[in-house]
């Protein structure tokens, strides 16, 4: 199976392909965050734990910030080459992890959210982001046929 031809700045078709992938990536990642955070909100309601809402709000905000930081190195790399896009994905994964861990710690230590629910509710959106990026970028790197 061959790798996709990476878009180049001189190739208008490549630019539109990279733009299409970026739009799908943004929609997929933020859609996954909405679904994961919706599921955790449902768990809070079912478990009758109103004190967990502050942790849910913090985890949701941290997840959105982490997703935006993960896109920062990936978005411009899509226009360079497949190799740079892979490096951009790895750089984004590191930024996402750092933002999630430090954001969770800041929410607990500075904003005094409940520790266990806050840190537990960071996991579903984090994993949803990773899965969405893997699905979209997997199709970009290894197209069918």
């Amino acid at each position: 199976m061959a790798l996709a031809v990476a878009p180049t700045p001189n190739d208008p078709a490549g630019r539109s392909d990279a733009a299409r992938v970026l739009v799908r990536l943004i929609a997929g990642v933020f859609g996954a965050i909405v679904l994961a955070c919706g599921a955790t909100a449902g768990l809070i309601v079912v478990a009758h734990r109103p004190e967990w809402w502050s942790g849910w709000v913090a985890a949701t905000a941290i997840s959105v910030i982490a997703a935006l930081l993960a896109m920062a190195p990936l978005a411009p790399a899509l226009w360079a080459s497949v190799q740079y896009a892979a490096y951009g994905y790895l750089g984004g994964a590191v930024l996402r992890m750092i933002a999630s861990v430090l954001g969770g710690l800041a929410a607990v230590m500075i904003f005094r959210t409940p520790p266990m629910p806050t840190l537990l509710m960071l996991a579903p959106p984090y994993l949803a982001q990773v899965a969405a990026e893997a699905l979209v970028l997997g199709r970009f790197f290894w197209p069918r046929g």
Side-chain angles (χ1 to χ4, degrees):
M1 189 173 287
L3 288 174
V5 176
T8 61
N10 297 329
D11 180 17
R15 277 183 260 162
S16 66
D17 189 42
R20 181 179 49 80
V21 169
L22 186 59
V23 168
R24 286 184 181 177
L25 186 65
I26 291 169
V29 166
F30 287 104
I33 290 173
V34 167
L35 288 174
C37 290
T40 56
L43 289 174
I44 293 172
V45 170
V46 169
H48 301 291
R49 298 286 188 149
E51 66 275 9
W52 287 8
W53 283 112
S54 61
W56 179 83
V57 169
T60 302
I62 293 165
S63 297
V64 170
I65 292 168
L68 291 172
L69 286 174
M71 297 284 175
L74 180 57
L78 287 172
W79 273 270
S81 70
V82 172
Q83 182 178 2
Y84 286 130
Y87 293 152
Y89 172 76
L90 292 174
V94 169
L95 288 175
R96 177 179 43 248
M97 185 270 308
I98 291 171
S100 295
V101 170
L102 292 181
L105 290 175
V108 170
M109 297 174 129
I110 297 171
F111 299 109
R112 303 285 186 218
T113 60
M116 192 269 302
T118 302
L119 298 177
L120 278 179
M121 284 186 248
L122 276 172
Y126 183 92
L127 296 173
Q129 289 176 44
V130 171
E133 284 181 356
L135 288 172
V136 173
L137 291 176
R139 290 182 184 156
F140 174 66
F141 290 142
W142 297 285
R144 295 180 199 179

